[in-house]
């Protein structure tokens, strides 16, 4: 997929501050398929979800190839544009330049690169290591991503608020990243109320749309975000894995407590439902045509 990355073009057209695109996190192709089926505009290829699904910390533990293979597998089973969470870009600008063509070839529409040092730590982790790279160094990473990204959108994520550096630093970094060619600026916050992010959004005078991940301040509705007139993308950062964890825990507990599987039957997906999600209809067609 070269400069004519059609999923990137579709996503670009959807980054509309009058009606922000809604992305749902996915940690595997099945979750992505369910998110697309539910009507989300895009899939968030979340590093947190993928790490959690491997039961390891979201701290640059999994290799790039694991994340890349998952993005490719997600692209193969559904059509919604994928926004790949490439963390810090797996190193410096050289690592970014080598990673980008591989993500583009995997069918990814956009990458989000964050301005933390490598290896990263999870933004939401209490007491996490949140050190940022210098602005100029990060601009170089963004420029490398654009130059080698085969038409993918490049979304710059600043962790200035997460690192406690304040709104002025966050605004300056956002502006510098837009100047370096970022298609959007993701501003992340782990405050329990939306005040910090709302203040940033109101003060943002940049020319590119903002992106938000409202995990920590869930009371902020999509309508309230839209009313700001600045946000082109809202990412539901980890709701697939958290839903899966809660559902599995409850089902497993009930089966043991009830001494059988009958009780949970009505509350879980049918086998036929799962067959359909596996593309059973497509395989039947192949069988009909070619199996002799
Ligand atoms: C992710 O989903 O991997 C993110 C969002 O980067 S957060 O976990 O909130 O940092
Ligand atoms: Mg992440």
């Amino acid at each position: 997929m070269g400069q004519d990355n059609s999923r990137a073009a579709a996503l670009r057209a959807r980054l509309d501050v009058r009606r922000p695109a809604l992305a749902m996190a996915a940690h595997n192709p099945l979750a992505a398929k369910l998110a697309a089926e539910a009507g989300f505009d895009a899939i968030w290829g979340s590093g947190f979800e993928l790490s959690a699904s491997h039961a390891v910390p979201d701290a640059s533990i999994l290799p790039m190839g694991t994340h890349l293979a998952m993005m490719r597998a997600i692209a193969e089973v559904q059509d919604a544009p994928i926004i790949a969470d490439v963390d810090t870009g797996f190193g410096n600008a050289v690592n970014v330049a080598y990673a980008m063509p591989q993500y583009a070839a995997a069918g990814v529409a956009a990458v989000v690169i964050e301005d933390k040092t490598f290896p990263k730590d999870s933004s939401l982790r209490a007491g996490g290591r949140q050190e940022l790279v210098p602005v100029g160094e990060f601009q170089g990473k963004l420029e490398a991503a654009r130059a080698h990204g085969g038409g993918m959108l490049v979304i710059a994520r600043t962790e200035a608020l997460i690192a406690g550096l304040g709104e002025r630093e966050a605004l300056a970094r956002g502006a510098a990243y837009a100047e370096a060619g970022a298609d959007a600026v993701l501003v992340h916050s782990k405050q329990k109320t939306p005040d910090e992010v709302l203040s940033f959004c109101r003060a943002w005078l940049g020319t590119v749309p903002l992106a938000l991940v409202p995990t920590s301040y869930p009371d902020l509705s999509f309508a309230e975000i839209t009313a700001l007139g600045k946000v082109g993308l809202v990412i539901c950062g980890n709701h697939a894995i958290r839903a899966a964890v809660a559902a599995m825990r409850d089902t497993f507990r009930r089966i043991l407590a009830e001494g059988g599987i009958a009780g949970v039957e009505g509350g879980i997906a049918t086998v036929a439902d799962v067959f359909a999600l596996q593309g059973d209809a497509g395989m039947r067609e192949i069988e009909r045509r070619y199996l002799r």
Side-chain angles (χ1 to χ4, degrees):
M1 213 176 266
Q3 297 294 332
D4 61 339
N5 185 330
S6 60
R7 290 202 230 200
L11 182 63
R12 192 182 293 281
R14 282 292 295 108
L15 289 188
D16 182 351
V17 297
R18 292 161 305 178
R19 184 179 165 267
L22 301 177
M24 174 50 73
H27 49 279
N28 64 25
L30 182 67
K33 210 166 175 178
L34 290 168
E37 183 187 275
F40 282 91
D41 302 300
I43 305 300
W44 170 234
S46 163
F48 172 81
E49 289 229 348
L50 187 66
S51 301
S53 76
H54 284 72
V56 300
D58 181 19
S60 303
I61 305 294
L62 294 179
M64 182 191 97
T66 305
H67 186 256
L68 176 64
M70 187 58 70
M71 298 304 106
R72 187 182 298 114
I74 288 174
E76 279 168 6
V77 300
Q78 59 78 50
D79 294 327
I82 300 163
I83 303 168
D85 173 13
V86 298
D87 294 343
T88 63
F90 313 105
N92 62 20
V94 175
N95 299 86
V96 170
Y98 274 87
M100 290 305 107
Q102 301 182 57
Y103 274 85
V108 163
V111 291
V112 172
I113 311 181
E114 65 193 54
D115 57 3
K116 286 213 288 258
T117 52
F118 176 88
K120 58 153 282 177
D121 195 359
S122 168
S123 305
L124 303 180
R125 183 164 168 253
R129 293 163 279 111
Q130 310 296 345
E131 263 181 44
L132 308 198
V133 296
V135 173
E137 181 180 330
F138 195 66
Q139 285 180 311
K141 282 185 166 189
L142 296 172
E143 287 166 21
R146 269 174 63 87
H148 295 265
M152 292 188 298
L153 276 73
V154 177
I155 301 175
R157 164 171 164 175
T158 183
E159 295 282 288
L161 299 179
I162 294 279
L165 300 178
E167 180 175 304
R168 189 196 289 238
E169 177 74 12
L171 287 167
R173 282 183 174 260
Y177 302 162
E179 196 184 307
D183 294 289
V185 169
L186 190 161
V187 59
H188 205 12
S189 164
K190 63 175 170 193
Q191 297 290 313
K192 295 282 175 264
T193 72
D195 302 356
E196 182 179 62
V197 145
L198 289 176
S199 174
F200 177 96
C201 291
R202 291 189 181 115
W204 175 250
L205 299 175
T207 48
V208 301
L210 297 173
L212 299 183
V213 187
T215 306
S216 293
Y217 45 94
D219 292 337
L220 188 66
S221 69
F222 297 157
E224 288 168 305
I225 292 172
T226 304
L228 293 166
K230 305 267 180 87
V231 179
L233 172 67
V234 182
I235 296 173
C236 302
N238 51 31
H239 298 78
I241 197 79
R242 288 167 64 198
V245 167
M248 282 193 269
R249 250 204 198 117
D250 183 54
T251 302
F252 300 166
R253 182 194 55 75
R254 276 189 63 189
I255 288 172
L256 285 181
E258 294 169 7
I261 59 175
V264 301
E265 194 61 20
I268 58 177
T270 63
V271 174
D273 188 2
V274 178
F275 271 148
L277 288 163
Q278 288 176 284
D280 190 57
M283 191 175 82
R284 281 185 195 284
E285 183 59 17
I286 292 169
E287 286 172 336
R288 191 185 64 74
R289 282 179 186 229
Y290 307 117
L291 270 190
R292 313 217 165 112

